[in-house]
Amino acid sequence: MSTLPIPSPRYGYDRLQRGFHWLMAALIFAAIGLGVWSAWLVQGTPLRRGLLDIHKSLGMTVLALIGLRILYRLVAGEPAFRVPPGRLAHLAAKAGHAGLYVLMLFMPLTGYLTSASGGNTLPWFGLFSWPNLLPRDKANAMLGAGLHYGGAWTLGAVLALHLLAVAWHVFVRRDEVLARMIGTR
Ligand code: HEM
Ligand code: HEM
């Protein structure tokens, strides 16, 4: 009788999940920085337009990637823990992560709504333009801008909790959580 090897559990996120996480974290930090910077500038100035062109290019890249990332997450799931977290801590992490997934979809969609219904350009790093699928409509553009602004504050708050949680794992608990996303587990 042959014995089948027992598959050992995976304790870290796989290469593709880590790639999505760190690439999109960089895109999103850059998008937030440029978005906040442009919010300080007078509308219509060349600097603001230029910053927003890069901002929109970064944000549309997030939109192109997030669908694939969510689908892959549904297939690949969450890796096992060597030392399982408490029930409440795990629930809080899951809620925070779900919130970040929703916001990674909500932010580019409301950004698109703002720019497209405002009749503005949708460039991608000067290489091509995304199609504008929405009619020009000032009310929708203002609705989009309001939702985008509220979403930006919400993202800022949830992201701050995400980073505080990581710091707590690294400096207080000194556990495996950061290693799971770096790939050293
Ligand atoms: C992950 C994706 C994105 C993030 C995190 C993000 C974040 C931000 C932030 C923090 C601001 C400054 C606050 C505000 O004025 O609302 C902003 C402004 C803006 N964003 Fe985004 N954004 C994203 C995607 C997009 C996309 C895809 C577009 C358009 C195609 C876009 C268009 C704009 C515009 C036009 C503004 C200026 C809004 C105004 O002045 O009313 N954003 N964004
Ligand atoms: C320097 C910045 C960041 C660090 C150090 C960091 C760290 C981590 C770590 C260690 C995990 C794994 C948690 C676990 O094992 O349960 C994680 C998961 C996650 N992070 Fe981050 N993160 C950062 C930025 C971001 C940003 C900007 C976003 C998106 C807005 C984000 C979204 C997520 C999501 C959605 C998960 C859950 C992954 C999953 O279960 O599919 N992170 N992060």
Side-chain angles (χ1 to χ4, degrees):
M1 202 177 83
S2 67
T3 50
L4 288 172
I6 300 166
S8 59
R10 190 165 52 82
Y11 289 112
Y13 285 91
D14 70 24
R15 202 184 277 266
L16 188 56
Q17 283 177 311
R18 298 195 311 267
F20 273 132
H21 179 272
W22 294 115
L23 171 65
M24 292 181 71
L27 292 169
I28 289 165
F29 280 129
I32 293 174
L34 293 177
V36 170
W37 185 1
S38 66
W40 285 86
L41 302 172
V42 178
Q43 286 201 2
T45 56
L47 176 60
R48 183 178 141 99
R49 276 175 199 275
L51 294 177
L52 277 179
D53 279 354
I54 306 171
H55 175 83
K56 294 184 219 176
S57 305
L58 294 165
M60 291 305 286
T61 313
V62 171
L63 184 58
L65 292 173
I66 189 60
L68 294 173
R69 178 170 175 188
I70 290 175
L71 280 181
Y72 187 67
R73 174 63 163 82
L74 294 174
V75 176
E78 187 194 40
F81 286 91
R82 278 179 211 275
V83 183
R87 233 165 56 99
L88 206 65
H90 199 194
L91 203 70
K94 275 177 185 281
H97 294 162
L100 288 172
Y101 278 119
V102 169
L103 286 161
M104 282 189 278
L105 200 55
F106 182 83
M107 287 309 291
L109 287 178
T110 53
Y112 183 91
L113 175 63
T114 310
S115 295
S117 45
N120 290 306
T121 51
L122 295 161
W124 196 75
F125 300 111
L127 295 175
F128 66 87
S129 286
W130 298 92
N132 184 340
L133 304 170
L134 302 175
R136 202 174 176 141
D137 183 324
K138 200 163 179 225
N140 281 346
M142 282 175 69
L143 173 70
L147 293 173
H148 201 64
Y149 183 79
W153 277 102
T154 312
L155 176 62
V158 181
L159 206 49
L161 290 177
H162 186 59
L163 299 184
L164 280 175
V166 176
W168 179 69
H169 282 288
V170 171
F171 299 114
V172 181
R173 293 281 307 265
R174 296 169 193 259
D175 61 16
E176 60 184 322
V177 163
L178 183 58
R180 285 153 58 84
M181 194 49 100
I182 290 179
T184 43
R185 275 284 149 162

